Amino acid sequence: MPPSNGYGAVPNSSRQNTIGDEEQQPLLGGSTQPSKVSQWRKRMVTDVRRDWADLILLACYVITGLLDSASISTWGSFVSMQTGNTVYFGLGLAAPHESTRWIKSGTSLGCFCIGSVFFSSLHRLFSPSPKRRWILCVSFILQTLFIAGAAAILTFGPQTSAEDKKESIDWPVLVPIALVAFQSCGQAVASRALKYNALTSVVLTSIYCDLFSDAELLAPINPERNRRVGAPVLLLIGAVLGGVLARSVVGAAGVLWIAAAMKLVVVIFWFVWPAEKE
């Protein structure tokens, strides 16, 4: 006979077990599986896998070509390739009254430097790893917004002729240059975060040197060679497209909208990119 519980009643062990099991069940028929929100959070704090991520960085060369060719066609200065802007700035200091190009080049150069501090700090200070998925997504979302802001100014702001834009240094010219130049270094910082230091998407001279000085230039398998070939080819494609579109009815504003859309696609790629193995 089962022992008394001290109150003159015999405990019903099977009843207690049933109650215990029922108490352990989640309320309202909920599931013990991780929620979609928790899974999403866990995914966002993982590092993206470095393997094949160079393909995304190479695609950014097309964006750089689009932006720089449209910028040169419209304003006469670069927004990504700062070597040319440095030369234009130096020429302007030597003869400041001959053209206003040096002012626009100096604006682009200065904003690019400030953007470098901003994006590098974003990767370095707000995450234990610069390859965190959420950091890359936030970085490219910001880049998208900066380009979209510049495109909005060109689309809805004061309209001037192409000749006036070449020499104008009013805010509808300088602000878009500043916005696009500020975001351009975000791609370069991402290449550093992913350890593809050569794929900055804002310089080609060193890539040409490394490509043609490579002792294994003609080797059948040479990933580094392949990247060095792909970078200038893709930038050239972007430059041709940007130049053609900027001179068409699409205009420089349309080129910027296209570049912003491409940056948004990059954000989507970072979101779905495989995570680094733990």
Side-chain angles (χ1 to χ4, degrees):
M1 179 177 179
S4 170
N5 61 7
Y7 291 93
V10 178
N12 189 339
S13 59
S14 61
R15 174 63 176 168
Q16 287 180 340
N17 290 340
T18 302
I19 295 174
D21 292 342
E22 290 177 351
E23 289 179 346
Q24 292 178 5
Q25 296 299 317
L27 296 175
L28 303 178
S31 173
T32 59
Q33 296 297 322
S35 67
K36 290 184 178 180
V37 174
S38 64
Q39 290 177 343
W40 181 81
R41 287 177 178 174
K42 183 179 179 181
R43 179 176 182 80
M44 294 304 290
V45 297
T46 58
D47 285 358
V48 299
R49 188 178 302 173
R50 183 179 180 273
D51 298 344
W52 299 99
D54 53 337
L55 295 178
I56 299 180
L57 298 176
L58 285 169
C60 290
Y61 277 85
V62 178
I63 302 174
T64 297
L66 284 168
L67 294 175
D68 265 344
S69 62
S71 176
I72 284 290
S73 301
T74 306
W75 302 305
S77 66
F78 294 95
V79 288
S80 298
M81 301 287 183
Q82 298 302 327
T83 303
N85 278 336
T86 304
V87 174
Y88 288 148
F89 188 67
L91 291 173
L93 293 178
H97 301 294
E98 289 186 0
S99 172
T100 60
R101 172 182 280 180
W102 70 279
I103 298 175
K104 289 178 279 190
S105 296
T107 300
S108 177
L109 179 59
C111 290
F112 184 91
C113 294
I114 296 172
S116 297
V117 175
F118 173 81
F119 282 103
S120 62
S121 298
L122 178 68
H123 282 264
R124 185 171 56 248
L125 300 179
F126 292 93
S127 174
S129 170
K131 295 192 300 178
R132 281 287 190 268
R133 187 184 308 278
W134 77 267
I135 282 287
L136 288 168
C137 289
V138 168
S139 174
F140 278 82
I141 287 173
L142 291 174
Q143 294 169 48
T144 302
L145 293 176
F146 278 112
I147 298 176
I153 292 174
L154 264 65
T155 303
F156 306 110
Q159 302 299 313
T160 57
S161 65
E163 290 300 324
D164 291 339
K165 287 180 180 178
K166 286 283 187 179
E167 292 299 323
S168 175
I169 51 173
D170 294 333
W171 75 265
V173 171
L174 293 182
V175 172
I177 290 175
L179 291 174
V180 180
F182 184 91
Q183 65 80 38
S184 291
C185 58
Q187 298 175 169
V189 172
S191 72
R192 298 291 196 267
L194 293 165
K195 304 300 182 184
Y196 287 110
N197 293 343
L199 299 180
T200 62
S201 75
V202 293
V203 65
L204 286 182
T205 306
S206 59
I207 289 181
Y208 284 131
C209 177
D210 293 339
L211 173 62
F212 290 101
S213 63
D214 189 351
E216 300 181 353
L217 176 62
L218 302 179
I221 301 176
N222 187 342
E224 287 291 336
R225 183 268 324 276
N226 297 342
R227 296 187 193 106
R228 292 166 184 157
V229 171
V233 169
L234 291 171
L235 190 140
L236 180 62
I237 292 172
V240 172
L241 291 174
V244 171
L245 292 173
R247 289 175 171 83
S248 70
V249 294
V250 174
V255 174
L256 292 184
W257 285 119
I258 293 172
M262 292 178 68
K263 288 269 190 176
L264 190 58
V265 171
V266 173
V267 174
I268 296 172
F269 270 106
W270 286 135
F271 182 75
V272 301
W273 201 258
E276 199 75 79
K277 295 181 180 179
E278 298 179 359

